[in-house]
Amino acid sequence: MKIELENVKPAQIEARSFEIITEELGDVSLIPGTEPIVKRCIHTSADFDYAQNLCFSEHAVEKALEAIRDGASIVTDTQMGRAGINKKKLLKYGGSVHCFMADEDVAVKAKEDGTTRAVASMDKAASMGERFIFAVGNAPTALVRLYELIREGKLDPHLVIGVPVGFVNVVQSKELIMEAGVPYIVARGRKGGSNIAACIVNAMLYMMEK
Amino acid sequence: MKIELENVKPAQIEARSFEIITEELGDVSLIPGTEPIVKRCIHTSADFDYAQNLCFSEHAVEKALEAIRDGASIVTDTQMGRAGINKKKLLKYGGSVHCFMADEDVAVKAKEDGTTRAVASMDKAASMGERFIFAVGNAPTALVRLYELIREGKLDPHLVIGVPVGFVNVVQSKELIMEAGVPYIVARGRKGGSNIAACIVNAMLYMMEK
């Protein structure tokens, strides 16, 4: 078998990829204003399920873009998520990315409370008294804790990106966060990941440059 | 609708997830010795396609485990991949994780050559004269360059993990690397990602502890 490479210049690879995604989506209808996010999730995963499973609360994207423009920072639940977010573009507006998972105080608190470090990380974020954008790509326990903190009036996030991946309480944690009464972007079902969390943030950063 | 959380202790979540994956795989047949890798890819993505698309050259896993035990280091094509690999466990055997993508010399070389930084990164790895494990989760151009370097006799990797994701030359780059004559683990088709690259490395590290 002869393997033939498509001749696409490095700078054109992304544009060509988005063309292919748009072609293959055909007449699948996406919520206006969310297309760049949905397509980037497909670009990141080669998984067209994201055309069906992404749920957006009303005006979630507009509110998030405004928050980023005003310098909002992001809290994520994995080092991979932090690594994947375009920190240079975020910093242009004054925001930065936090991941508290490896913090010593978080490890101690989680052990004391018999909970996950992800839960302790969300508690730490809430204690800072700042309005964040949360990007949860791994731990359903983080999403459940965010729901509780919001309901207890201890947290008022600009946006919760709820895209943990997996098999235990992942589906439920996403349904919960959609009932918390705050802006959300959620990948309904089992799928997601820190790559998806990062790519949703990046999609919004790139939307702001257009 | 009442949302009910499953009561699983933090330390049990992963084991419970693998139980569910094993149940749902049912009688899908996996290559003996590759199950922990296939299942961890599904665990990372909630995507059962990995039960079908992962291809292993003969004894690829055994050879990689031996290389890790002997202190082999890993080269990856994204910072996310590097962030996701369990560096502490790798270091127990003496290995570390390199990602050259943000290196100044790589940026300069890519610009000079009119190529991608991923290609320049692979060239840099080849110039170091060390036998690496490559974990490519993003750039098909990196995989194509590895194929060329191997064919030119300039590189002799312990293993190539070829799991870039996407739409332009991704499928082809994976078919190429499977013909390079070196041990490989490849996710055939469009799917993959830096999360998958990292989780394949981690699966092998965890296999070594059993």
Side-chain angles (χ1 to χ4, degrees), chain A residues 3-209:
Chain A
I3 298 160
E4 288 199 41
L5 293 169
E6 199 177 340
N7 186 12
V8 180
K9 289 212 177 80
Q12 299 304 319
I13 293 174
E14 184 168 310
R16 177 73 191 116
S17 300
F18 276 81
E19 267 177 32
I20 295 171
I21 293 166
T22 304
E23 270 168 41
E24 296 197 15
L25 276 171
D27 52 10
V28 172
S29 79
L30 302 176
I31 305 163
T34 69
E35 298 94 336
I37 296 173
V38 176
K39 289 180 185 174
R40 189 163 289 277
C41 287
I42 297 171
H43 178 256
T44 285
S45 61
D47 188 340
F48 282 83
D49 280 4
Y50 289 100
Q52 314 293 342
N53 68 19
L54 284 170
C55 302
F56 299 79
S57 64
E58 215 174 334
H59 305 305
V61 180
E62 293 93 317
K63 286 173 189 168
L65 296 185
E66 199 182 317
I68 294 171
R69 206 170 283 120
D70 289 347
S73 285
I74 292 168
V75 174
T76 183
D77 66 330
T78 60
Q79 306 297 345
M80 277 190 89
R82 177 159 68 178
I85 292 170
N86 193 323
K87 291 165 285 293
K88 206 186 273 183
K89 294 213 188 291
L90 182 64
L91 189 61
K92 287 207 315 199
Y93 306 101
S96 58
V97 184
H98 304 287
C99 174
F100 303 126
M101 292 294 287
D103 294 8
E104 186 55 31
D105 55 342
V106 163
V108 169
K109 186 71 165 40
K111 204 165 183 189
E112 272 176 20
D113 296 353
T115 182
T116 64
R117 280 185 296 151
V119 167
S121 293
M122 298 301 116
D123 286 338
K124 179 165 179 170
S127 76
M128 292 167 73
E130 190 177 330
R131 293 192 71 201
F132 290 114
I133 291 173
F134 288 86
V136 176
N138 185 55
T141 54
L143 219 47
V144 173
R145 187 64 186 138
L146 286 180
Y147 171 82
E148 294 166 349
L149 288 164
I150 293 162
R151 283 305 181 102
E152 292 163 10
K154 291 177 181 157
L155 192 69
D156 180 25
H158 288 296
L159 172 74
V160 177
I161 299 170
V163 295
V165 59
F167 298 88
V168 176
N169 288 331
V170 166
V171 172
Q172 296 94 314
S173 71
K174 292 169 177 174
E175 296 299 321
L176 267 182
I177 206 69
M178 289 195 278
E179 306 205 337
V182 299
Y184 64 77
I185 301 175
V186 162
R188 207 164 210 163
R190 285 172 167 178
K191 287 185 176 175
S194 25
N195 53 337
I196 296 294
C199 104
I200 290 174
V201 174
N202 290 340
M204 294 195 293
L205 289 169
Y206 304 148
M207 285 168 84
M208 293 171 69
E209 296 193 320

